Amino acid sequence: MTTDTFIETGRRVIAVEARALNALADALGDSFAQAVDLLLKAEGRVIVSGMGKSGHIARKIAATLASTGTPAHFVHPAEASHGDLGMLAHGDVALVLSNSGETPELADIIAYTRRFSIPMIGVAGREGSTLLRQADVAILLPPADEACPTGLVPTTSTTMTLALGDALAVALMEHRDFTPDHFRAFHPGGKLGARLSKVRDLMHRGDAMPLVPVGTEMGEALIAISQKGFGVVGVTDTAGHLAGIVTDGDLRRHLRGLLELKVEQVMTANPLTIRPESLAEQALAVMNGRKVTSLFVVDPAGDGRPEGILHIHDCLRAGVV
């Protein structure tokens, strides 16, 4: 086989699955809306289950739901038959996946939900299958060929099921007005957590801030710069507002007779600042763009006093790039 053949195969598979996704979008109807409504009314958790390849998709759907504000977890149907049925309780909703709708390992989960009146959403690709007949809400996947040459390997069917799970999760997110702040609460680590970090999460507060009042001799200001370790010192007016900032550049411009001056004679007035609610990613972009290493944090909606200071190294340590 040639490279061109490999590429052609890949394009054919993706095209087959893309057509199936379009068919799925067209097929969504009342059952999808009923499923979303049932999930919204759940007082407990969403229990997602499936066997084989459907089980792998079920795990991903459970993880997506859990990370977007809908408590959910995966229960393996075989383990359910050996004690894990106790993970289903009143107030929960079961989301059960099976392409054929006749997977024997699901029988105990289906029977348990019926016995204890636990609402069940069934997703399958065969109309009239046991799963769909037993479900409170039945979502029928549209007919579509699997992408493999034999037509047997779960490919198109699992892609449709995965997309359906994403559609359910996003519909729930939009109804609940799920915000980036909510998302960050479930993703505090890794690249996502770093990207969603706020300036207030990383800034230095209180005595850590290098601040001196107007009227301070430059000798004392130099001590503050050295002790605090940010390479700058902020200058506050009589009301405590940030009136200016003394940087390395300011020091170089006033080397002659520097120690005879006061901070207000050396400082840069009305310095660049950042809001505490700004994303740390935005603060890093500002620092890189203006070629500075520190930003004082001031909330214009507050009393205008400096609330903290952010150094570029704080962003880098947090993984903000």
Side-chain angles (χ1 to χ4, degrees), residues 24-293:
L24 175 62
D26 292 338
L28 289 187
D30 291 342
S31 61
F32 179 81
Q34 292 165 7
V36 174
D37 186 60
L38 192 59
L39 294 170
L40 285 170
K41 292 177 179 177
E43 297 177 357
R45 295 158 297 179
V46 178
I47 309 302
V48 193
S49 189
M51 192 68 190
K53 302 299 184 296
S54 291
H56 294 302
I57 299 301
R59 287 182 186 275
K60 193 275 179 185
I61 292 174
T64 299
L65 289 170
S67 70
T68 54
T70 300
H73 65 244
F74 170 77
V75 172
H76 194 289
E79 297 296 336
S81 299
H82 295 275
D84 282 2
L85 282 173
M87 294 183 179
L88 282 78
H90 286 291
D92 292 344
V93 172
L95 175 59
V96 182
L97 316 177
S98 169
N99 186 42
S100 69
E102 301 292 347
T103 306
E105 291 87 351
L106 294 174
D108 287 338
I109 281 186
I110 294 172
Y112 189 86
T113 63
R114 304 304 82 193
R115 178 182 178 187
F116 293 101
S117 300
I118 297 172
M120 181 178 70
I121 301 166
V123 178
R126 184 178 300 174
E127 189 172 7
S129 60
T130 299
L131 174 59
L132 295 188
R133 284 189 286 105
Q134 293 290 330
D136 297 287
V137 176
I139 299 179
L140 175 65
L141 299 175
D145 294 331
E146 299 290 6
C148 70
T150 64
L152 299 175
V153 178
T155 47
T156 305
S157 57
T158 51
T159 298
M160 285 194 294
T161 307
L162 181 62
L164 179 67
D166 289 341
L168 289 170
V170 172
L172 294 168
M173 286 176 64
E174 290 183 353
H175 181 84
R176 292 175 173 147
D177 293 327
F178 196 82
T179 67
D181 278 342
H182 295 136
F183 191 75
R184 182 176 179 272
F186 297 114
H187 298 79
K191 177 62 177 175
L192 283 175
R195 285 188 58 195
L196 295 171
S197 294
K198 298 288 185 67
V199 168
R200 58 173 162 76
D201 299 322
L202 305 179
M203 70 184 189
H204 303 265
R205 298 174 168 83
D207 291 340
M209 288 188 287
L211 292 173
V212 295
V214 167
T216 301
E217 302 285 347
M218 276 306 302
E220 186 178 342
L222 288 173
I223 294 174
I225 292 174
S226 176
Q227 288 179 339
K228 302 298 184 179
F230 291 95
V232 298
V233 65
V235 181
T236 56
D237 61 20
T238 55
H241 301 151
L242 187 67
I245 184 173
V246 178
T247 67
D248 287 342
D250 296 318
L251 296 178
R252 288 194 296 271
R253 284 189 290 273
H254 296 84
L255 279 176
R256 186 182 298 275
L258 178 65
L259 297 181
E260 299 173 4
L261 302 175
K262 295 187 177 181
V263 286
E264 60 268 27
Q265 295 172 287
V266 177
M267 73 181 189
T268 298
N270 302 313
L272 181 67
T273 61
I274 193 81
R275 296 170 182 259
E277 294 303 313
S278 297
L279 289 174
E281 193 174 50
Q282 177 187 350
L284 181 62
V286 170
M287 285 188 276
N288 284 331
R290 298 292 291 271
K291 293 182 171 54
V292 298
T293 58

Side-chain angles (χ1 to χ4, degrees), residues 275 298-304:
R275 296 170 182 259
V298 177
D299 186 357
D303 62 6

